Each structure stands twice: as C-alpha cells, then as structure tokens.
C-alpha cells in the first residue's frame, strides 16, 4: 500500500465486517521516541485464540469470496519493515485491538496520505459502525467522530456529496494544524 | 487568517443541503437513485478503488446526477480490480471490472446517462454481494 491511509481503510473494514458498533482509530506521532503508532480498537465479534494465531498468516481469511486474507499481513509487514512492531489482541464476543508502531522517520514509512478520503468512506459504511478518529501529536489532538457529525447533520445523510466535500476539507485543515510528519 | 472549518459551520451547510433535498421531488430514496458500489477489500484498495470511488462521487455530483456511491466488501474478482456494481433504477445490477478514472468517466457518459452498456462487464449469474 502506498499510503498509510490505504492500510487504514483496509484494516478498518475488518472491524466493520465484524459488526462493531464502535471503531476507534488512534494515531499518535511521537518525535521523542521516533514512533508513528496506529491503533484500531473495536467492539465487534472478536476472534478465537485459534483464529488469532492464524491472522498474520496471509492464507487465513473467513471470507468465502477469496482464499487469502492480506490486509493484516500487509500492515504487519509495513510496521516491521520500518523498525516498528505489530500486536493484535482479540477476544471472542468482545472485540479486537490492533496496534502497529512504525518508525516515524524511517525512510520506508509510507506517508499518511489522504486520511480524509479514508474517513469519509469508512463513515459511510453499510453496517453503521461509528468511527472515532483520534490523531495526537506533540502539537495537539484532532478528533473526528461520526456520532457527533451525524447529530449535527440531523436528517441530512452523511453520504451527501456536498457534505462529504465539506467534511474532507474540515479534516484536512484541522490535521494540518497538528501533524508533525506527512 | 481564514477560519478553519468546524462543526458549527457544518450546521449551516446542513440547513442549505436540507432545503435543496426538500426541493427535489424524488428525494433521496435509494431506489430512485443510480447506485454504485465500489469493492473496497485489500486487492481493490491496492488497485486504486479509493480513487475510483472519489471520482464517481465528485463527477456525478458535478454532472448533476443523483447517485448513491458506497463501498462494499470483496466481490471476488481480484483479477479485475477495481470492480464496481452499477444499478440503474428499475434495472438489474451490472458489474464492471478494471474501473479506473477513464473507465469511470466512460461508464458515466454512456451507461449512467445514455443507458448504453460499456465494455468491461463481468458476466455473472449473481444475486448480491455477500462478503
Ligand atoms: N477486527 C476484527 N474482528 C474480527 N475478526 C477479524 C478482525 N480483523 C481480522 N479478522 C479476521 O481475520 C481475517 C483476516 O483479515 P485480513 O488479513 O484483513 O484479510 P481479509 O479481510 O481479506 O480476510 C478476516 O477474514 C477475519 O476473519
Ligand atoms: Mg481485511
């Protein structure tokens, strides 16, 4: 994946497909220990110990349409390639927490890229999973919360193109204020 | 310095959009809209499905076509990503493969607007996308 925002789009789909009511995506940029951490926390179906053992294996998937699952192995690879680490914890019936730490200044770390576009797609997911994006750096924190947005929108759908365009700009402008690295 | 966009301004925009929606006779009932589902699993994303989806949303809006563009899971045609499912109101859904921006524009111009089929349809005896 050429951008972290694409990894995020992909990995977040697992939580949506696991029927999570809430998915938190937390990014933390830390200059002090040169880390770029991405965390996914969901309250979806979770995985058994057996499933969890296999999840970083590219041949494991529960989907029936295709025989290999690549999303998680790809993110794990990116984390490890940049001198970081990767961890996934899950409990059946409770949810899943996945943490990928990347080397912030590592030359192979992809840029975050179009996270606003990713968030718009995720926000319009088919199972109404609420997305809470939390981006923290030494300059401050930005939170994008679909539950809060939907409240402000009342009966206007988030899928409306004008609304989407506005929200994308809003996310970009706010992130520009705090992002340390691209 | 220009002010950063905020939730407070979103409410103003919401009011505008709301009155526009009310003016439109058909409303936003999905069955009256052109519907496009973009397959957004790993292979789709890696092949540019996100760009394709953004292109459809922006172009259809600019051309004034009422459409609902959404993402969906893996449709099982990894070899032909990005793939989309297009449903014209009252018609059976059609699946297109290898939909980059150029193909997307062709689909809009011909299929969506003139109701002519375009090359690149994936033939399937298929009901609905079931991830
Ligand atoms: N957050 C999650 N909750 C429940 N199951 C998950 C989660 N993430 C991954 N899985 C399981 O791990 C499998 C592999 O995931 P992934 O590597 O993303 O490939 P894919 O999504 O293409 O199957 C999924 O099919 C699913 O069964
Ligand atoms: Mg996946």
């Amino acid at each position: 994946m050429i951008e972290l925002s694409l990894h995020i789009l992909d990995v977040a789909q697992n939580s949506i497909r696991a029927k999570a009511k809430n998915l938190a995506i937390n990014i933390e940029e830390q200059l002090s220990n040169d880390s770029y951490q991405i965390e996914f926390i969901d309250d979806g179906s979770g995985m058994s110990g057996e499933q969890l053992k296999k999840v970083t294996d590219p041949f494991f998937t529960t989907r029936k349409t295709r025989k290999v699952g690549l999303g998680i192995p790809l993110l794990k690879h990116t984390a490890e390639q940049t001198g970081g680490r990767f961890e996934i914890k899950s409990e059946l019936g409770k949810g899943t927490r996945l943490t990928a730490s990347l080397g912030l200044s590592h030359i192979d770390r992809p840029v975050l890229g179009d996270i606003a576009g990713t968030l718009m797609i995720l926000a319009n997911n088919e199972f109404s999973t609420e997305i809470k994006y939390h981006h923290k750096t030494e300059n401050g924190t930005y939170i994008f919360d679909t539950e809060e947005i939907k409240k402000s929108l009342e009966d206007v759908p988030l899928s409306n193109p004008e609304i989407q365009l506005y929200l994308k700009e809003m996310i970009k402008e706010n992130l520009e204020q705090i992002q340390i690295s691209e | 310095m220009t002010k950063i966009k905020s939730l407070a301004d979103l409410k103003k925009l919401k009011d505008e959009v709301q009155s526009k929606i009310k003016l439109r006779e058909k409303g936003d009932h999905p069955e009256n809209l052109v519907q496009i589902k973009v397959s957004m699993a790993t292979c789709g994303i890696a092949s540019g499905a996100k760009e394709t989806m953004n292109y459809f949303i922006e172009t259809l809006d600019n051309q004034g076509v009422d459409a609902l563009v959404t993402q969906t899971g893996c449709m099982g045609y990894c070899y032909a990503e990005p793939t989309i499912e297009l449903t014209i109101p009252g018609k059976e859904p059609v699946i297109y493969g290898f939909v980059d921006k150029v193909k997307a524009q062709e689909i809009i111009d011909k299929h969506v607007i003139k109701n002519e089929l375009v090359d690149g349809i994936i033939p399937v005896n298929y009901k609905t996308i079931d991830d």
Side-chain angles (χ1 to χ4, degrees), chain B residues 42-54:
Chain B
T42 312
C43 32
I45 294 169
S47 319
K50 191 179 173 214
E51 272 187 290
T52 298
M53 180 162 174
N54 286 338

Side-chain angles (χ1 to χ4, degrees), chain A residues 13 17 66 114 155 162, chain B residues 18 20 50 71 78 131:
Chain A
Q13 310 274 3
R17 206 146 31 84
R66 181 162 39 91
D114 176 32
D155 53 350
E162 269 181 78
Chain B
Q18 209 160 26
K20 275 193 218 165
K50 191 179 173 214
Q71 57 130 20
C78 305
D131 210 19

Side-chain angles (χ1 to χ4, degrees), chain A residues 29 97 145 148 167:
Chain A
E29 299 179 42
R97 173 193 289 255
D145 180 355
E148 185 184 46
L167 290 175

Side-chain angles (χ1 to χ4, degrees), chain A residues 14-15 17-18 42 45-47 51 55 60-63 66 68-73 96, chain B residues 42:
Chain A
N14 292 336
S15 304
R17 206 146 31 84
D42 75 49
S45 63
M47 284 174 272
Q51 277 183 304
V55 81
F60 173 69
T61 179
T62 53
R63 276 181 302 90
R66 181 162 39 91
V68 290
L70 284 174
I72 291 177
T96 302
Chain B
T42 312

Side-chain angles (χ1 to χ4, degrees), chain A residues 108-176:
Chain A
D108 289 329
R109 179 180 65 81
V111 296
L112 180 61
D114 176 32
I115 189 71
T118 284
L119 289 174
M120 268 318 101
I121 296 173
L122 293 176
N124 282 296
N125 72 78
E126 65 235 88
F127 298 118
S128 319
T129 301
E130 300 291 355
I131 314 286
K132 195 168 201 165
Y133 177 79
H134 192 279
H135 192 132
K136 187 175 173 201
T137 76
E138 279 150 34
N139 298 331
T141 298
Y142 174 64
I143 297 173
F144 176 82
D145 180 355
T146 55
E147 220 173 341
E148 185 184 46
I149 301 282
K150 284 178 197 163
K151 258 185 217 143
S152 314
L153 287 175
E154 293 172 14
D155 53 350
V156 171
L158 224 161
S159 60
N160 179 282
E162 269 181 78
I163 300 287
Q164 285 199 39
L165 208 62
Y166 181 89
L167 290 175
K168 273 195 212 172
E169 290 302 315
M170 183 181 89
I171 294 167
K172 270 190 228 159
E173 288 177 5
N174 280 280
L175 280 180
E176 269 166 25

